[in-house]
Every structure is written in C-alpha cells, then in structure tokens.
C-alpha cells in the first residue's frame, strides 16, 4: 500500500507555500488592464531590475509570454524566426507563432547541449535579395535552460555570440528563459549577465521557483508597450491580478536560493540510475533528469512509468524508450513528499 507519493513529473507540480497564500490573501490590488495594480507593478519592476532590462510585463503563462515576444518582434505576417529544432517554442506551444501570428519557423539543429552552431544559424538567415520568394528573417530564439536537452545551460559567452550575429544582420534575439534562474544558479553567473545580449526574455515563475501561476516578459520600454497591447489581444489581460503576482513575489524572494538543492537531488538520482543495468542517463546540469532505456532491457518507458506509479513514484514518459523527472524544492515542502 502506497502511503507517500514522490511526484517528479515536472517542476510545475507544486502548491503555494503558506507564505504565498498569506501574501495572496492580503495583496493590494487594482485593475491591471488599466495599469493600476500596485502588486503587479512591484513584481514587474523587480523582475526588470533583476534581468537588467528597462521594463517587464506579467502574463498568464510561458507559452503566452513566448508568443507575445515573437509576435512583437515579428509584427509583419510572413516574418521568419530561426530557432532550434528541439526547442519548446517549436515543439510544445501548439504552433502558435504560425497559426496565430503568421510567423514562419526556420529550424536549426539543436546540439546535445542545447546550442545551435553559429554557422548554421547564419546560414539560415534569408538573403534580403530574395524577399520576393523568401520569408523575411527577423528574429533568433534561444532557450536557457534547454529542457529537451536535459536542462542544459547556455553560457553568457555563447549567448553573446548569437547576439552579435543577430546585430550583424539587423535581427532581434529572444530568449525563452523559462528556467533561466536554474541556469544562473548552476553556472554561478548573475541572471542579468546571461541575458545581456537579448532584446527580450520570457521567464516562467511557476517552474523552478514554484509560483502557482504566471510568467514575465522583459525588454525595452517600447517593446513592453507593444507587448502589453498584444497581451490584451490574446486574452491575457487580467484585472485584479495582484492576488497572483503576490505569490510570485514571494517565490522570487524565497525560492531562487533553493534551486541548488534541486540540482543536487537531480544529480543524486542520475548517479543512482546510471548504476542500473539497461538505463542510461544524460549528464545532469540542473533539475531535469532524462533516462534512456537501452534495447536489451526489453521494457518500454510507459511500462516503467506505470510500475513506478504503482509504487507511489510519478515520472513522465516522453517516448517509448525515454522518460524524465524534474525536481522542485516546493514539491517536497508543500506536498510532504520525499524527493529522494
């Protein structure tokens, strides 16, 4: 009989802490669509400062944050964005940049560390002389950490190089920084340094740092002004949303420092799994563990997931031969679950 559940499906599987609930209950609120919610203003101001950008915008989700960012940069239908073939925007966001924004994705192969080769990025940029037949390249997107590569961290130096390439061709650079705080902690590099070259960054507040809802977009004042209009167009304008922003402020203040603990737990799990015959674990840098099942084991990832669930351990299969787990300190604190 299972008496305790270990939930490692995702670092989004959390519940608000008591401090978050208290902040939500007492949050000072107003109409944020009109720009008057003081708690949202505090959150946006703090995030802009942390990220080293002029302004910020609170949005309901990371998917909306990336969509707004891409559409703000690519404000002409038929624009093209260069992005990794294994990145979140391309795979997991319902093709929104195309179906909603009329933006064409041009993929470049992601390396195992989440990077794209600079020469391949440059080769993917359309020649303006062919605009009569080609889409117009306007944007490059990176993802840091890169989730499908196992939470790999993109260095500040690599991001700078991509930024210089973008400037050389008069393009913009957007970073999907859903887990940028994990990258900052793992690399020991301030988060504003990691995104210095970017024109915009989206940051998820409901993943590693454990807020219940929301993401932030940061960029220049003019960029955020355009993004604010798009947020309303997409149905993301919320009224007395300071109730949610209050929890995000607590998460920002209390949980960034706990990310290193998540990384240590992930490495501990990976080390143990690597000792098991028939399993191969990708190198772990942050809080995500991907496990590959070797052919000789004769069992599917789905079967392993089911067997673990029967024993009170929840993970996710991502292919017939691959499953993953993610760590978030708030999982153990709130759900009274033992994360190993």
């Amino acid at each position: 009989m299972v008496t305790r559940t270990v939930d490692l499906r995702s670092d989004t599987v959390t519940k608000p802490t008591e401090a978050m609930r208290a902040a939500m209950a007492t949050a000072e609120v107003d109409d944020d669509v009109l720009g008057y919610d003081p708690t949202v203003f505090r959150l946006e101001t703090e995030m802009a400062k942390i990220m080293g950008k002029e302004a910020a915008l609170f949005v309901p989700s990371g998917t909306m944050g990336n969509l707004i960012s891409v559409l703000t940069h690519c404000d002409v239908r038929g624009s093209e964005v260069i992005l990794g073939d294994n990145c979140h925007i391309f795979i997991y966001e319902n093709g929104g940049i195309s179906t909603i924004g009329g933006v064409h994705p041009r993929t470049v192969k992601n390396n195992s560390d989440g990077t794209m080769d600079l020469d391949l990025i440059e080769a993917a940029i359309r020649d303006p002389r062919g605009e009569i037949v080609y889409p117009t390249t306007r944007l490059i997107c990176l993802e840091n950490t890169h989730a499908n590569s196992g939470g790999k961290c993109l260095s500040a130096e690599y991001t700078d190089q991509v930024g210089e390439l973008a400037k050389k061709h008069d393009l913009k650079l957007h970073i999907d920084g859903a887990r940028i705080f994990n990258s900052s902690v793992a690399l020991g590099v301030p988060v504003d340094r990691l995104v210095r070259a970017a024109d915009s960054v989206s940051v998820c507040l409901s993943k590693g740092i454990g807020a219940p809802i929301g993401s932030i977009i940061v960029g220049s004042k003019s960029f955020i002004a355009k993004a604010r209009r798009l947020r309303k167009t997409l149905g993301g304008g919320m009224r007395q949303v300071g109730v949610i922003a209050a929890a995000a402020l607590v998460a920002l203040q209390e949980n960034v420092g706990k990310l290193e603990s998540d990384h240590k737990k992930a490495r501990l799990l990976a080390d143990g799994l690597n000792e098991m015959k028939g399993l191969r674990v990708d190198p772990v840098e942050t809080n995500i563990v991907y496990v590959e099942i070797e052919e000789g084991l004769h069992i599917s990832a789905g079967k392993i997931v089911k067997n673990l669930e029967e024993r009170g351990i929840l993970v996710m299969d991502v292919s017939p031969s691959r499953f993953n787990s993610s760590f978030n300190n708030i999982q153990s604190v709130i759900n009274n679950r033992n994360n190993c």
Side-chain angles (χ1 to χ4, degrees):
M1 179 180 176
V2 175
T3 58
R4 172 174 282 181
T5 300
V6 181
D7 195 337
L8 304 178
R9 290 172 296 167
S10 170
D11 54 4
T12 61
V13 183
T14 64
K15 289 184 173 63
T17 63
E18 289 303 318
M20 290 180 194
R21 292 179 185 274
M24 293 168 77
T26 59
E28 186 180 0
V29 299
D30 204 322
D31 192 321
D32 184 52
V33 173
L34 301 180
Y36 291 114
D37 191 298
T39 306
V40 173
F41 180 77
R42 281 177 53 212
L43 175 63
E44 291 172 344
T45 300
E46 181 66 13
M47 280 298 297
K49 179 180 178 182
I50 290 171
M51 304 299 291
K53 302 300 181 185
E54 291 181 351
L57 182 68
F58 188 45
V59 297
S61 71
T63 294
M64 182 176 284
N66 284 329
L67 178 59
I68 289 172
S69 297
V70 171
L71 299 193
T72 300
H73 291 303
C74 301
D75 55 358
V76 177
R77 293 184 68 85
S79 298
E80 187 167 73
V81 54
I82 295 172
L83 72 178
D85 66 347
N86 203 21
C87 77
H88 198 279
I89 293 175
F90 181 63
I91 297 176
Y92 296 120
E93 299 186 7
N94 299 109
I97 62 173
S98 298
T99 58
I100 296 174
V103 177
H104 186 263
R106 187 165 197 188
T107 59
V108 170
K109 178 179 171 51
N110 276 122
N111 298 315
S112 60
D113 62 358
T115 63
M116 298 176 284
D117 291 344
L118 295 174
D119 58 342
L120 294 181
I121 295 175
E122 188 160 30
I125 299 171
R126 302 288 186 175
D127 187 337
R129 293 171 298 180
E131 64 180 358
I132 191 68
V133 291
Y134 296 146
T136 301
T137 309
R138 298 187 189 278
L139 179 66
I140 302 171
C141 289
L142 299 176
E143 182 181 336
N144 193 7
T145 64
H146 196 276
N148 271 2
S149 298
K152 297 297 190 297
C153 304
L154 273 57
S155 70
E157 292 74 19
Y158 171 76
T159 305
D160 287 348
Q161 289 178 308
V162 177
E164 286 302 315
L165 182 59
K167 288 181 180 178
K168 174 183 174 182
H169 293 275
D170 197 25
L171 308 178
K172 300 297 184 182
L173 172 62
H174 172 70
I175 295 178
D176 175 0
R179 296 178 176 88
I180 194 69
F181 287 110
N182 290 88
S183 185
S184 173
V185 169
L187 294 173
V189 176
V191 69
D192 63 324
R193 176 65 188 89
L194 289 178
V195 302
R196 184 183 298 171
D199 297 285
S200 62
V201 188
S202 60
V203 184
C204 190
L205 302 170
S206 61
K207 289 189 170 71
I209 64 172
I213 302 171
S215 287
I216 286 280
I217 307 168
V218 297
S220 67
K221 290 180 180 178
S222 60
F223 172 86
I224 293 299
K226 290 175 65 177
R228 189 178 297 276
R229 293 195 296 273
L230 266 172
R231 183 185 69 174
K232 186 67 169 67
T233 302
L234 294 171
M238 300 178 285
R239 299 296 178 176
Q240 286 71 31
V241 73
V243 172
I244 298 172
L249 276 166
V250 173
L252 193 62
Q253 294 159 1
E254 296 187 355
N255 294 336
V256 174
K258 299 175 182 177
L259 295 178
E260 177 56 30
S261 173
D262 297 336
H263 300 173
K264 288 179 179 178
K265 291 174 183 175
R267 289 193 294 269
L268 178 64
L269 176 63
D271 290 343
L273 290 172
N274 264 328
E275 294 178 2
M276 299 179 67
K277 186 177 180 180
L279 298 181
R280 186 178 71 254
V281 182
D282 296 345
V284 172
E285 293 184 8
T286 53
N287 67 322
I288 298 174
V289 180
Y290 273 101
V291 186
E292 192 74 29
I293 304 166
E294 296 178 348
E295 284 187 23
L297 201 58
H298 302 299
I299 188 171
S300 69
K303 179 63 174 174
I304 289 179
V305 169
K306 187 175 186 298
N307 289 344
L308 289 172
E309 184 176 1
E310 291 172 353
R311 291 160 176 79
I313 301 170
L314 306 181
V315 296
M316 294 180 64
D317 54 321
V318 294
S319 78
S321 63
R322 191 171 172 86
F323 65 94
N324 81 297
S325 60
S326 302
F327 285 80
N328 187 314
N329 195 273
I330 306 305
Q331 292 166 324
S332 58
V333 173
I334 302 308
N335 297 334
N336 193 27
R337 292 169 181 167
N338 180 5
N339 281 354
C340 291

